[in-house]
Amino acid sequence: MKKQLKFKLLAIALISILATIGIGCDRLFTKPFQLPASAKQEPWPIQTGLRAAILRSNIPTVNRVVLVPDEATFLAAIQKWNLKGNWPILIEDKKYTPMFLQRFQPEEIVRLPSIKQQLPKNQKLQQLMLNASAAAWNATDTQTLKAQWTQLGWEPPGVVITSENDPALSAAVALAAAHGQPLVFLEGNFGKPNDTLNNTQWKSLQLAVTKAVESTGYFYSQLADPIDTITIVRQLAVKYQSPEKPEEQLAVTDGLGRHPNGERWAAVGWIYGSEVRSIYQAMCAIFLDSETAMLYDSYPKEGNWGKYEMEAAASGLKTIGLNVEVVQKPESSLEKWRSLASKPWTFDLILMNSKGYPKSFQVGNGDASVEDIPKLLFPAAIHMIHSWSAAAPDDKNTVAGRWLENGAYAYIGSVNEPFLSAFIPPKLMVDRLKRGSPFLIAARQLESPPWKVATIGDPLMSIAKPRPRIPPTQQPM
């Protein structure tokens, strides 16, 4: 009896100590990467954002940037990531690397020499990629990775789909590793980024993507089950022909992740392009925090246009710590825009409403051209309420193409004339961001049938308060 009493007193003392230092009993007796039961009452976009936040809080960011000369060295370097800390790794170039370094401001920059090896091909390359993504979780391969996730209580929030023959393959490894997602492969020709898929090609892509997700073995068919996002990291077409109106084009990233009846089961993001740019976009999404925002409102205050005003959104962003600049009528004008665009921008987040075409956009009392898009000093995530801006995102002489060329790492815009209601009003979008919804998901009409808004970037990237970093001395390479 005395032993039982002594044990009870020790247990009470332990619980008291844990409470004093801020560790609740639920953390003591649950798996560290498990979504709390209370969070499962939240809408699925919030659950998805919370799962990404769990990783940010459990795996420290090391205050260093590693620069490598080539892709083989990148895949070797990323295998140093582990559960004690991750850090940005870039293939060094003269354009995107300086932008990232300017924004991240690392305590330490490490330049690695080339390992002077050719990447293997086919199955051996796939195995190298899978093992590299597993290493971040202190695992050695796909089998031990799944066991590690089970032990930690981790359920993947999405799937990363790439091709062993695509230049963006290393970005796929990084996104799978950083967000704890299965990495799967999709080979075949599904068009180039500016293309439009016909109905046969579209059905082929839909089936192939669904089969790729199914191959992971995780539940995916309902929202709020483990797999709620798809990140496609490879070349494919941005548009497909509408089955009902062949003269109209719909966004591939809105049409994927749906059942045959159009019901959504996942939200989709897309990264494509060169090794350098795709890795840059992935590293920005994984490691950069948001501190500044530009909200540019070119719409009148009357009628439906008034629903897309920016003041309420600005107030919401300020509550999560962002410094916000708002430009609205009567201040917004072509003269004002060109004045603002005359120097490089340092905004992390850019929300803009406009009207126009693939190569022009209204900024108040006149149309700006692609040449009026500002240079970016810092990487930026951009939401553009505007017709046609993403009709040809791989063409730098179009609106989306120029923003991406200038260093945007996430972009939301339309591939066709979408009508104003295709876009979420800025206030509602910011309300979702404040609750933790990832950026690309917060911008979507989530219950509408497939439509025309494309989402380029990592679908798990959030607009969140800056996270703490640990010094490089605490996590040697």
Side-chain angles (χ1 to χ4, degrees):
M1 196 72 176
K2 287 182 178 179
K3 286 184 178 179
Q4 289 179 340
L5 179 60
K6 186 176 181 181
F7 177 81
K8 286 182 179 178
L9 291 172
L10 284 171
I12 292 169
L14 176 61
I15 291 169
S16 176
I17 292 168
L18 291 169
T20 301
I21 63 175
I23 301 176
C25 295
D26 58 332
R27 283 295 297 274
L28 179 63
F29 297 113
T30 60
K31 297 180 179 182
F33 288 77
Q34 198 166 46
L35 195 67
S38 58
K40 294 187 177 180
Q41 307 304 312
E42 296 284 356
W44 71 269
I46 311 304
Q47 290 188 42
T48 300
L50 288 172
R51 280 195 275 173
I54 285 173
L55 297 192
R56 287 197 296 272
S57 63
N58 277 279
I59 303 175
T61 295
V62 181
N63 201 357
R64 74 158 63 94
V65 172
V66 171
L67 303 178
V68 300
D70 53 55
E71 196 168 23
T73 309
F74 178 92
L75 290 175
I78 203 169
Q79 294 182 60
K80 299 295 184 180
W81 283 6
N82 58 69
L83 292 176
K84 293 182 180 179
N86 296 343
W87 50 87
I89 307 169
L90 297 165
I91 294 180
E92 187 169 11
D93 76 315
K94 294 181 180 180
K95 182 174 186 177
Y96 297 116
T97 300
M99 292 176 64
F100 188 93
L101 292 174
Q102 282 264 21
R103 183 61 185 81
F104 191 79
Q105 292 291 309
E107 181 180 332
E108 174 183 82
I109 299 174
V110 178
R111 285 181 169 86
L112 297 180
S114 173
I115 63 172
K116 295 182 179 178
Q117 291 180 9
Q118 293 282 335
L119 285 178
K121 296 183 183 294
N122 304 322
Q123 190 64 36
K124 288 184 179 179
L125 177 55
Q126 288 190 11
Q127 199 59 55
L128 171 62
M129 294 167 65
L130 292 168
N131 293 350
S133 66
W137 289 80
N138 300 355
T140 56
D141 54 28
T142 301
Q143 187 174 354
T144 56
L145 177 61
K146 284 193 172 184
Q148 177 77 310
W149 284 344
T150 300
Q151 184 176 348
L152 294 169
W154 179 247
E155 288 187 321
V159 174
V160 179
I161 299 175
T162 190
S163 164
E164 68 189 45
N165 299 304
D166 195 273
L169 63 87
S170 290
V173 173
L175 292 167
H179 294 316
Q181 303 176 92
L183 177 63
V184 296
F185 297 90
L186 174 63
E187 306 304 330
N189 180 5
F190 298 102
K192 295 180 180 180
N194 296 341
D195 289 349
T196 302
L197 300 177
N198 63 35
N199 197 42
T200 300
Q201 294 169 317
W202 168 240
K203 287 181 178 178
S204 176
L205 176 62
Q206 277 186 303
L207 181 60
V209 167
T210 302
K211 283 186 173 181
V213 174
E214 282 179 349
S215 73
T216 67
Y218 289 97
F219 291 112
Y220 73 90
S221 62
Q222 302 294 325
L223 294 171
D225 58 15
I227 304 300
D228 279 343
T229 66
I230 302 169
T231 311
I232 299 183
V233 189
R234 55 153 291 167
Q235 178 174 268
L236 50 73
V238 71
K239 310 178 289 290
Y240 70 98
Q241 279 184 318
S242 167
E244 288 79 27
K245 296 181 179 179
E247 70 279 4
E248 285 193 333
Q249 294 89 44
L250 307 182
V252 164
T253 51
D254 197 22
L256 293 174
R258 293 178 183 265
H259 294 291
N261 64 0
E263 183 181 348
R264 186 187 300 280
W265 53 263
V268 180
W270 174 40
I271 290 176
Y272 66 91
S274 69
E275 295 94 336
V276 168
R277 194 180 83 175
S278 59
I279 290 171
Y280 159 84
Q281 288 180 296
M283 292 298 149
C284 291
I286 296 165
F287 290 106
L288 293 186
D289 301 307
S290 296
E291 297 181 8
T292 60
M294 161 60 76
L295 276 60
Y296 194 97
D297 181 1
S298 72
Y299 287 167
K301 302 293 185 184
E302 310 82 48
N304 285 334
W305 306 108
K307 297 176 183 177
Y308 292 80
E309 58 82 25
M310 298 283 196
E311 286 184 347
S315 297
L317 290 172
K318 288 174 184 176
T319 66
I320 55 176
L322 271 67
N323 293 319
V324 183
E325 183 171 340
V326 183
V327 179
Q328 57 187 330
K329 283 195 168 184
E331 185 185 11
S332 55
S333 65
L334 184 58
E335 183 182 22
K336 177 65 175 179
W337 177 268
R338 285 178 171 163
S339 172
L340 291 168
S342 65
K343 56 185 178 180
W345 281 16
T346 56
F347 302 107
D348 301 310
L349 176 65
I350 300 167
L351 306 184
M352 183 176 181
N353 57 37
S354 180
K355 308 170 190 174
Y357 300 96
K359 298 184 179 183
S360 66
F361 53 103
Q362 191 178 92
V363 290
N365 63 348
D367 289 344
S369 73
V370 168
E371 298 304 321
D372 294 312
I373 290 175
K375 302 287 187 183
L376 300 179
L377 188 63
F378 291 169
I382 299 174
H383 178 249
M384 194 148 182
I385 300 173
H386 170 87
S387 304
W388 306 98
S389 75
D394 208 30
D395 179 354
K396 67 180 182 180
N397 294 313
T398 66
V399 174
R402 184 61 59 91
W403 281 117
L404 292 165
E405 173 76 11
N406 285 3
Y409 67 93
Y411 186 89
I412 300 159
S414 180
V415 303
N416 197 272
E417 171 53 69
F419 307 112
L420 188 58
S421 60
F423 293 99
I424 292 291
K427 180 185 183 302
L428 176 55
M429 179 180 172
V430 170
D431 286 345
R432 291 175 173 181
L433 293 174
K434 285 167 56 181
R435 294 187 63 190
S437 172
F439 177 65
L440 298 188
I441 301 176
R444 234 195 223 301
Q445 294 283 12
L446 294 170
E447 297 178 1
S448 72
W451 199 234
K452 301 177 181 180
V453 176
T455 42
I456 298 172
D458 172 12
L460 293 173
M461 183 275 290
S462 295
I463 304 298
K465 292 182 179 180
R467 74 204 87 180
R469 302 180 193 171
I470 62 173
T473 52
Q474 287 189 24
Q475 184 55 34
M477 288 180 59

